[in-house]
Amino acid sequence: MRSLLRVAIVFFLFTAFPKVHAQEVVVHSSVKQESISRNTLRAIFGMRHRKWPDGFPIKVFVLRDDASLHISFSKSILYIFPYQLRRAWDRQVYSGTGQAPNEVESIEEMRKKIADTPGAIGYLPLPENHENEVDTALRVLHVR
Amino acid sequence: MFVKGSRLITIISASCFLFLKSIVTPLYAFTWPETLQIYGFASQGFILTSDNRFFGNSEEGSFDFTELGLNASIRPLPDLQLSAQVLSRRAGEGDDGNPRLDYGLLDYNLISNQSGNLGFRLGRVKNPLGFYNDTRDVAFTRPSIILPQSIYFDRTRNLALSADGLQIHADQRTDFGDLFYQLGIVYPNVDDPKTTNVLILNQPGQVEGELSSIGRLIFEREGGRTRIGLSGALVNIRTESPTSSTRGTIRFRPLILSAQYNAEFWSLTSEYALRYLKYQDVAGFPNFSRTGESFYFQGTYRFFDKLEALLRYDVLYQDRNDRRGNKATGTDPKHSLFAKDWTVGLRWDITNAWMARIEYHYVDGTAWLSSLDNPFPSKTDRYWELFSILVSFRF
């Protein structure tokens, strides 16, 4: 009886407090590098750095500006605010000096697009022990 | 005119050559058509002034302020982009809505790696001046309905907008911050009737842009939290008159210092400009030179996610040695040589595609009013107010 109670408590704790999800930078499996500097990552999401070291074009995927994952990714990984990204994209798009990132509607679509697009980069919420759960078509890029 | 045309043909043929060279490179042959992007915007403004006219008959309330734009870009190679934008703008007597090529360029990166890029742009390129000139007609990218007129005056906007030529650009990423350089060798676009009117008033004759240069350096720290910029131009214009055998020259040398701090909920922006202007042997004008001075301080505060409030003080002196306008000549009142503008505004981002704005200006002086909308300077009022609403859509 006591052990049953313990199981119930453990079960309750697991369901009441969802697993910790950290957002991670995720790339298509074709991308060779293991890690990236924050500065380069900012240049990639700012649409200023456009190819991987092997010359393959980078395809950037983002959620909408007001998506909570986009906001937390901008702030805690890139260390900039979403409105700054939007301004940087607009400046380039409307002066002909750059392009906008590809916007996706949902996290699921983000996962699928990155998995299907060689050279793709984006971000996903992943459980702490994510290595096992990531699709074979996706890889996590560690930020230095 | 013919000279201009042949110059454009050279630019276009060089662009085509590089374009063809790029598309025969097989590596990305399968995917590059997918890089085509098309964006556009449409804005409609309403302007009401207590006195004086701004963008049409604003004393009665004017809807004569419309901006439409459509652009396309494609990236056949990671280092090559082709882009163009067509713009139509209606703004009082100054702009009649005729569509024109805002920019049309080929951008190629010669070097690009983790520490930065070095490349060039060829064709019609937006002029890099201050923080806002590059996208000044796109309401979403402006801090207000009407840009601070001391620096981004709409009177000579065609001169400021874009120019034909070559621009070298580089960005350099360091641990300390990012540097962005742009340097252009261009022919300014001045030969439209409106700009001609601003430059030589009603004098008969022609103006033509000569080889000019324009450059900007921006330093960004912490991904743009702090931004500092320095931009300047050496604009050379030649004038010809049927009544005079000597050619006149107009020299315009603006220098702009820009600074911005961006926090999560607020931004502070300030720009300061010195504008040196010199007329020599221009028919109907005495030889003169003067240095104008402009600056503004601007604060914006973002709240409730979708709202942004604006407060700005913007000052323009046509001659920094005559801030009260004592040297005004003829029928020009003293207040036509300065303008001090207090602005408050509110921006509402209704959705990602729709934006609405409301704005109020209290202005002392008329220095940046258009003489096309206000043909008689003596009939302008020194103290006036401007109220504006704007709705903008983009896709």
Side-chain angles (χ1 to χ4, degrees):
Chain A
M1 189 63 200
R2 190 171 285 175
S3 62
L4 197 63
L5 189 67
R6 202 175 287 158
V7 168
I9 289 170
V10 169
F11 181 77
F12 171 79
L13 284 175
F14 259 94
T15 49
F17 301 99
K19 279 182 281 186
V20 181
H21 281 65
Q23 63 263 15
E24 296 278 6
V25 181
V26 176
V27 291
H28 182 265
S29 58
S30 64
V31 175
K32 306 283 188 303
Q33 66 196 91
E34 298 284 324
S35 68
I36 192 163
S37 75
R38 195 174 315 276
N39 211 12
T40 306
L41 195 64
R42 248 184 334 222
I44 288 174
F45 279 91
M47 303 303 285
R48 294 183 276 120
H49 187 54
R50 296 163 180 129
K51 60 181 188 190
W52 296 109
D54 64 2
F56 204 81
I58 301 175
K59 296 248 181 186
V60 179
F61 290 92
V62 293
L63 290 163
R64 288 164 54 111
D65 290 15
D66 53 2
S68 61
L69 184 64
H70 178 75
I71 296 170
S72 63
F73 167 77
S74 304
K75 282 159 67 170
S76 59
I77 306 248
L78 298 180
Y79 292 174
I80 58 176
F81 306 113
Y83 78 88
Q84 291 177 280
L85 278 176
R86 174 56 63 185
R87 278 191 201 167
W89 301 335
D90 284 350
R91 272 200 295 272
Q92 294 178 80
V93 166
Y94 293 103
S95 63
T97 58
Q99 290 196 308
N102 303 288
E103 200 172 288
V104 293
E105 291 300 318
S106 65
I107 291 168
E108 222 13 75
E109 191 188 350
M110 173 84 87
R111 184 188 298 273
K112 192 171 161 5
K113 282 279 167 57
I114 300 171
D116 291 349
T117 315
I121 187 169
Y123 44 80
L124 287 173
L126 295 175
E128 280 294 10
N129 189 12
H130 52 68
E131 310 296 348
N132 312 327
E133 306 201 14
V134 176
D135 216 294
T136 49
L138 299 176
R139 289 191 36 241
V140 169
L141 200 55
H142 298 284
V143 182
R144 291 196 294 269
Chain B
M1 205 59 205
F2 176 73
V3 179
K4 266 240 154 113
S6 65
R7 199 183 293 143
L8 202 61
I9 288 165
T10 315
I11 290 167
I12 290 167
S13 46
S15 311
C16 290
F17 170 72
L18 273 164
F19 179 66
L20 288 171
K21 184 169 171 279
S22 72
I23 58 171
V24 295
T25 309
L27 191 53
Y28 311 110
F30 301 107
T31 56
W32 70 264
E34 293 167 18
T35 65
L36 177 70
Q37 291 191 351
I38 294 174
Y39 289 98
F41 59 90
S43 308
Q44 176 61 52
F46 168 77
I47 292 179
L48 180 67
T49 50
S50 60
D51 309 279
N52 309 330
R53 289 186 173 190
F54 191 80
F55 294 170
N57 186 8
S58 56
E59 285 163 285
E60 310 278 319
S62 166
F63 285 95
D64 205 0
F65 180 33
T66 313
E67 296 163 312
L68 306 169
L70 187 67
N71 68 60
S73 65
I74 193 159
R75 202 163 256 285
L77 286 171
D79 285 323
L80 177 69
Q81 177 168 329
L82 298 166
S83 33
Q85 176 160 279
V86 175
L87 203 100
S88 152
R89 184 173 181 269
R90 223 163 42 87
E93 292 293 317
D95 234 331
D96 54 11
N98 277 341
R100 59 179 169 73
L101 183 68
D102 188 35
Y103 60 77
L105 61 92
L106 173 154
D107 186 345
Y108 188 73
N109 272 340
L110 300 163
I111 301 171
S112 82
N113 55 42
Q114 308 242 345
S115 59
N117 310 311
L118 170 69
F120 65 88
R121 301 185 179 116
L122 201 62
R124 177 164 295 178
V125 184
K126 297 298 285 181
N127 285 330
L129 280 175
F131 281 148
Y132 299 114
N133 192 59
D134 315 32
T135 58
R136 62 187 289 160
D137 296 322
V138 190
F140 281 89
T141 70
R142 294 196 293 255
S144 48
I145 298 174
I146 297 162
L147 275 173
Q149 293 289 302
S150 74
I151 288 176
Y152 304 96
F153 29 81
D154 281 304
R155 294 208 305 185
T156 52
R157 44 176 275 110
N158 287 356
L159 180 60
L161 284 178
S162 49
D164 301 334
L166 172 75
Q167 186 186 88
I168 310 287
H169 63 88
D171 43 313
Q172 196 181 349
R173 294 188 277 278
T174 71
D175 291 335
F176 189 64
D178 297 342
L179 282 157
F180 301 87
Y181 309 84
Q182 278 160 278
L183 181 66
I185 306 295
V186 296
Y187 286 91
N189 295 314
V190 291
D191 50 4
D192 63 292
K194 311 274 154 51
T195 310
T196 303
N197 178 279
V198 171
L199 292 170
I200 59 170
L201 301 175
N202 299 318
Q203 299 293 326
Q206 294 179 348
V207 297
E208 196 178 332
E210 291 190 301
L211 200 61
S212 301
S213 50
I214 186 162
R216 180 172 65 190
L217 170 63
I218 289 185
F219 173 67
E220 288 191 1
R221 195 148 157 66
E222 295 176 279
R225 185 174 286 251
T226 312
R227 303 175 71 214
I228 303 209
L230 181 68
S231 41
L234 307 173
V235 181
N236 301 314
I237 296 160
R238 193 175 64 203
T239 65
E240 278 174 42
S241 164
T243 60
S244 164
S245 57
T246 47
R247 281 175 170 175
T249 53
I250 299 174
R251 301 270 178 268
F252 182 47
R253 312 259 183 273
L255 185 71
I256 305 172
L257 181 66
S258 314
Q260 186 171 63
Y261 184 82
N262 292 301
E264 183 164 13
F265 297 110
W266 52 271
S267 300
L268 288 177
T269 310
S270 181
E271 298 195 282
Y272 176 86
L274 288 173
R275 295 167 289 106
Y276 173 79
L277 182 68
K278 183 180 181 185
Y279 275 57
Q280 184 136 21
D281 302 327
V282 179
F285 289 85
N287 289 346
F288 77 93
S289 69
R290 71 176 185 215
T291 302
E293 186 177 38
S294 316
F295 59 87
Y296 70 86
F297 299 99
Q298 170 182 287
T300 50
Y301 182 73
R302 289 170 281 280
F303 57 106
F304 298 142
D305 239 13
K306 303 276 179 197
L307 291 176
E308 183 180 279
L310 165 95
L311 175 66
R312 182 171 65 214
Y313 182 55
D314 178 43
V315 175
L316 166 67
Y317 299 115
Q318 292 290 33
D319 185 342
R320 66 189 302 240
N321 295 318
D322 180 28
R323 295 184 176 179
R324 290 161 194 264
N326 291 327
K327 292 186 198 160
T329 52
T331 58
D332 293 355
K334 290 179 177 180
H335 65 245
S336 69
L337 293 181
F338 59 81
K340 299 166 202 175
D341 176 1
W342 278 102
T343 305
V344 288
L346 191 65
R347 167 182 176 150
W348 177 25
D349 284 288
I350 307 162
T351 67
N352 280 1
W354 286 92
M355 184 263 285
R357 261 191 174 134
I358 184 164
E359 196 165 298
Y360 170 82
H361 296 247
Y362 181 80
V363 195
D364 170 13
T366 60
W368 43 256
L369 281 182
S370 161
S371 57
L372 293 164
D373 280 322
N374 301 274
F376 305 106
S378 58
K379 290 187 179 167
T380 58
D381 284 290
R382 173 172 171 178
Y383 298 98
W384 57 290
E385 294 158 272
L386 184 152
F387 170 76
S388 181
I389 299 177
L390 178 127
V391 176
S392 190
F393 172 77
R394 69 161 160 195
F395 63 90

